[in-house]
Amino acid sequence: MRRPGIMILLLLLALTVSCSGRDARDASPEGATRSSTTGATADSSPGASTTGAAAPSTSGCGRAPDAPEVTDELPGDVEQTITVAGTVRTYRLGVPDGYDPEQPTPLVMNLHGSGSNAVQASLYGGVTQGANERGILTITPDAIDGQWQIGAKGTDGDFLKALVADIESRYCVDPDRVYVIGMSLGAWKAAVTACAMADTFAAAALVTVEVHPDSCPPIPVVAFHGTADETVPYGEGSGHSFPDSPNAGLPGTHENIASWADGNGCDPDPKVTEIGDDVERWAYTDCTADVVLYTVTGAGHTWPGADIEIGPTTQIIDATCIAFDWFAAHPRSD
């Protein structure tokens, strides 16, 4: 799932992210104008655990934020560190404009792709800026050398678990509205993390990779994949037009999404709706947990709706906005 890194000059590009839907706060946020600064350092023990599912809020409620709010300057979030099992790991923290430390707030973890990093992930999909509009906290972790461990266990799994626990101890997080989104290898890691930490993550959004881990409990998932993706071919089963792709042996999108539908107890036949000229929405019904796939005809290994086009990219839909709508509609339930 390797992809070329986005050049640092993208930091100079302006993005405009505007998502429809409910704001997580009672009032719409005003535009932030403050300059971004470097975040504080946070330490967490490797054995930190997350707040129980039944809790209406986390222990961080009532604590003043230790990072500035998201600004209009890109990428808008700030770098922080956490020490897990003696290793210092970096991530970016986005605190929404108007954050209320007394109000339980949704949290979204955003995972970058292979060879990428947290700055690029914040920029490319506009997740931090979109979350700011809705009053959502974001954490965008850095993998070591740009590569996530594929499995749920390991040092990366410990890092992501400790990171969520640390944010919940410092910020007022709604434990029923913690979500994960990722692209490419980050989508793979998002899927295995959501499945392994189903008591933490309420739903997942997967861009360009929709692998369904074995023994995954039912979790609401929305996925996006382009039919002209040369990096992780779309295909049906393993059949596709890019036999020289580095990931040619992976199951295709139809097989993957059917596996999610089966694991989530859905009717095997999706309802397919055309959106514009190049998007099909596959919605499975009668599910224990909802499953939806957006198939983008002619799109590459790209983020639908991204202002930064690094390959064939649809503007008919916006994956970031759809993901936030998906999250709003799927709080964790017991």
Side-chain angles (χ1 to χ4, degrees):
M1 278 151 288
R2 289 185 175 274
R3 57 176 291 117
I6 303 173
M7 307 235 353
I8 197 65
L9 62 82
L10 295 181
L11 290 167
L12 303 178
L13 296 179
L15 300 177
T16 55
V17 178
S18 181
C19 295
S20 61
R22 293 176 296 175
D23 194 296
R25 296 165 297 202
D26 293 335
S28 299
E30 297 178 358
T33 58
R34 288 174 289 279
S35 299
S36 59
T37 62
T38 301
T41 297
D43 291 321
S44 176
S45 63
S49 61
T50 55
T51 301
S57 60
T58 59
S59 61
C61 292
R63 295 186 56 174
D66 57 20
E69 296 172 346
V70 171
T71 73
D72 288 336
E73 296 183 18
L74 298 174
D77 47 11
V78 297
E79 183 176 285
Q80 296 205 326
T81 62
I82 181 173
T83 301
V84 181
T87 300
V88 177
R89 302 293 297 261
T90 60
Y91 67 98
R92 299 189 70 81
L93 172 61
V95 179
D97 179 38
Y99 166 75
D100 182 353
E102 301 293 341
Q103 177 68 37
T105 304
L107 172 66
V108 170
M109 176 182 286
N110 179 23
L111 299 180
H112 65 74
S114 172
S116 187
N117 56 48
V119 172
Q120 293 173 356
S122 293
L123 283 167
Y124 183 38
V127 171
T128 301
Q129 297 289 339
N132 182 49
E133 293 183 356
R134 300 200 183 200
I136 297 173
L137 288 157
T138 57
I139 43 176
T140 308
D142 273 309
I144 295 176
D145 297 326
Q147 302 299 322
W148 295 110
Q149 295 170 330
I150 289 178
K153 296 182 179 179
T155 55
D156 282 345
D158 293 342
F159 165 42
L160 298 181
K161 182 176 182 179
L163 178 56
V164 172
D166 182 68
I167 296 300
E168 289 184 338
S169 72
R170 294 159 48 208
Y171 286 84
C172 193
V173 175
D174 183 339
D176 289 332
R177 293 188 291 169
V178 179
Y179 307 99
V180 61
I181 186 170
M183 178 175 178
S184 194
L185 181 60
W188 186 309
K189 190 63 176 178
V192 299
T193 301
C195 291
M197 298 175 61
D199 59 340
T200 296
F201 291 101
L206 312 175
V207 182
T208 72
V209 169
E210 59 289 310
V211 62
H212 180 237
D214 294 334
S215 303
C216 183
I219 295 173
V221 63
V222 60
F224 308 83
H225 211 139
T227 62
D229 188 337
E230 298 184 33
T231 304
V232 182
Y234 180 89
E236 292 190 54
S238 296
H240 52 74
S241 302
F242 307 105
D244 296 329
S245 167
N247 299 293
L250 293 177
T253 300
H254 291 189
E255 183 177 336
N256 286 330
I257 208 67
S259 182
W260 277 106
D262 180 63
N264 283 7
C266 306
D267 186 300
D269 298 317
K271 178 182 178 181
V272 180
T273 304
E274 293 186 0
I275 303 175
D277 296 330
D278 61 356
V279 179
E280 287 184 345
R281 183 181 187 270
W282 294 31
Y284 288 84
T285 59
D286 298 325
C287 302
T288 302
D290 294 335
V291 177
V292 169
L293 166 70
Y294 288 86
T295 291
V296 187
T297 302
H301 196 68
T302 56
W303 188 289
D307 286 348
I308 301 171
E309 296 194 14
I310 56 177
T313 303
T314 185
Q315 297 299 328
I316 297 296
I317 60 171
D318 187 315
T320 304
C321 297
I322 291 172
F324 285 139
D325 287 342
W326 183 261
F327 295 156
H330 293 92
R332 185 159 56 88
S333 66
D334 297 324

